[in-house]
Amino acid sequence: MAVALQKTFILILLIVIGLGLRSKIKSKTELNGIKEMILSVALPSTVFVALMGVKIDSTLLIYPLITLAFNFFIYLSMPYILTIFKIETDSSIGRTLTMLMPSLAPGLSSFPFIHEFLGKESLAKAAMADVGNKFFALNFLYFVAMSMYFKNNKTNEEKEEGKLKSLLLSLVKEPINIVMLLAIAFLSFGLSFDDLPPVISEIFNRTSTLMTPLVLIYIGLAVQLKEGKIRLVSSILLFRAGITILFSVLIIIIFHITSPVMVLLAVVVPLSSCSFWPFAHMSAVALKEENNQVPKEKRTFNIEFAVLVLAFSLPFSTILVMGILTAGTFFAHIETLIVTGLGLIAVSFVPKYVGKAVRMAKAQVKKVEA
């Protein structure tokens, strides 16, 4: 327990360090430099190490398939969720949420607690489940991001062949996709990470360790705390958590899961925070649009809003996962999970009404003062 709490505190403290550095790193060029380091060095190395370490066990294949089903469940639900919260699907914020909400970052927000409370065997199953999520976030969401980019920046003269060619060129040029192809080639020849020359493996190991601290410090540097946006993010994250728990209940019923440990595992893995990988895809698109001098209000994604979502998603999911696991077997019952899921969905509408009440109170005060 103490180790898991310590890890969580360190992750949050890295965001705080980023907030503290805002007075030192003010220029957009410096901030873009950090982002480029993440996208071109730290993230590709992390993906390469992760892929080269994947060992497919046929008995565990069901776990990535279930996670993949969850990813697509949230992705396909997003148009309806956006409608509920009166967000246009084809807006920069709508597209940003569609990219971020279906993705998971269990390594940051749930793995430490799964290891601490449920043991090594459960952690191995959770890691296997994350393979499906990695495929979704790294591959499928990349194509989604590029598709949104071309749709948002289409011209009358643009041909389908040209769009396909641009998509394929973008796919090949991205460092993350280059290392993915490299890892797949090595694995197809039966090579693992341990078979690589020590110099090569050490380079990837050391650069991949930059990933987490750089991402969290960048979030602290880039996050824009706007009151209205904070309420919106809170509402979306609460709603996501609610329907996620209900999805877990469905999986528990379908597969007749009775073991309390497996029930809790089925609940906490999908409750993980949003992944940084979709943000990497969106940042690549934002860089293209910036180079093409696309006006900020017409860009495909809202990067500032994406950073805000990531900044809130990590502590929110961590607290939720930790709370469920520290409660013992309390949440290992279907009835409790259904009530919790519906409760989170209901609470997700509270920030909206609180904001409305605050605006009405301010308007009343101004009216009295006038």
Side-chain angles (χ1 to χ4, degrees), residues 27 93 209 263 288 291 308-309:
S27 73
I93 288 180
T209 57
V263 168
K288 288 176 182 291
N291 292 337
L308 183 63
V309 172

Side-chain angles (χ1 to χ4, degrees), residues 82-96:
L82 294 174
T83 301
I84 289 171
F85 289 97
K86 297 181 179 179
I87 302 170
E88 289 185 24
T89 307
D90 200 25
S91 64
S92 61
I93 288 180
R95 289 188 287 264
T96 300

Side-chain angles (χ1 to χ4, degrees), residues 128-337:
M128 191 65 189
D130 190 38
V131 173
N133 171 62
K134 280 186 171 67
F135 172 83
F136 179 85
L138 291 171
N139 296 283
F140 179 76
L141 286 182
Y142 176 81
F143 282 100
V144 170
M146 295 308 297
S147 175
M148 288 178 173
Y149 165 71
F150 285 121
K151 183 180 178 182
N152 189 55
N153 293 277
K154 63 183 177 182
T155 60
N156 295 328
E157 297 80 18
E158 191 174 41
K159 296 181 179 179
E160 291 297 322
E161 296 83 1
K163 288 197 289 185
L164 180 60
K165 184 178 178 182
S166 298
L167 177 60
L168 292 173
L169 283 174
S170 300
L171 186 64
V172 173
K173 288 180 180 179
E174 291 293 334
I176 189 172
N177 293 315
I178 293 172
V179 299
M180 281 179 64
L181 292 172
L182 194 61
I184 291 169
F186 285 155
L187 290 171
S188 64
F189 286 106
L191 295 173
S192 68
F193 193 73
D194 295 331
D195 296 322
L196 297 177
V199 174
I200 302 297
S201 60
E202 190 64 16
I203 288 173
F204 278 105
N205 271 327
R206 289 184 179 274
T207 50
S208 69
T209 57
L210 296 171
M211 175 67 177
T212 300
L214 275 180
V215 168
L216 296 177
I217 289 172
Y218 176 81
I219 287 173
L221 285 166
V223 67
Q224 300 293 325
L225 300 175
K226 296 178 181 178
E227 186 182 345
K229 296 290 177 64
I230 290 173
R231 286 196 297 270
L232 176 59
V233 171
S234 301
S235 294
I236 294 290
L237 290 176
L238 283 164
F239 194 90
R240 174 186 185 253
I243 62 172
T244 294
I245 290 177
L246 295 180
F247 175 87
S248 296
V249 169
L250 184 62
I251 293 298
I252 291 165
I253 292 172
I254 290 174
F255 290 94
H256 305 288
I257 301 173
T258 56
S259 166
V261 170
M262 289 302 297
V263 168
L264 291 174
L265 188 64
V267 172
V268 297
V269 171
L271 284 174
S272 301
S273 62
C274 299
S275 173
F276 180 77
W277 287 332
F279 179 77
H281 303 327
M282 291 188 287
S283 295
V285 168
L287 188 61
K288 288 176 182 291
E289 292 177 328
E290 190 174 333
N291 292 337
N292 293 332
Q293 297 182 337
V294 176
K296 198 171 182 179
E297 63 276 5
K298 292 185 178 180
R299 292 183 185 178
T300 308
F301 302 107
N302 188 321
I303 298 301
E304 289 181 0
F305 183 72
V307 170
L308 183 63
V309 172
L310 290 172
F312 273 76
S313 179
L314 178 59
F316 175 80
S317 291
T318 300
I319 291 168
L320 205 56
V321 168
M322 189 170 61
I324 289 172
L325 293 178
T326 52
T329 58
F330 178 79
F331 288 98
H333 305 284
I334 290 177
E335 296 81 6
T336 306
L337 291 172

Side-chain angles (χ1 to χ4, degrees), residues 19-74:
L19 288 168
L21 288 172
R22 291 168 76 116
S23 59
K24 300 288 184 182
I25 301 176
K26 294 181 179 180
S27 73
K28 194 173 181 181
T29 303
E30 291 174 316
L31 201 59
N32 284 340
I34 296 173
K35 183 167 68 177
E36 191 61 42
M37 183 69 72
I38 293 169
L39 297 178
S40 300
V41 180
L43 183 62
S45 294
T46 303
V47 171
F48 183 80
V49 173
L51 288 175
M52 289 296 288
V54 170
K55 295 178 181 178
I56 303 298
D57 185 340
S58 59
T59 63
L60 299 177
L61 283 178
I62 188 63
Y63 297 112
L65 291 177
I66 291 173
T67 310
L68 197 57
F70 167 78
N71 294 137
F72 278 105
F73 166 70
I74 298 294

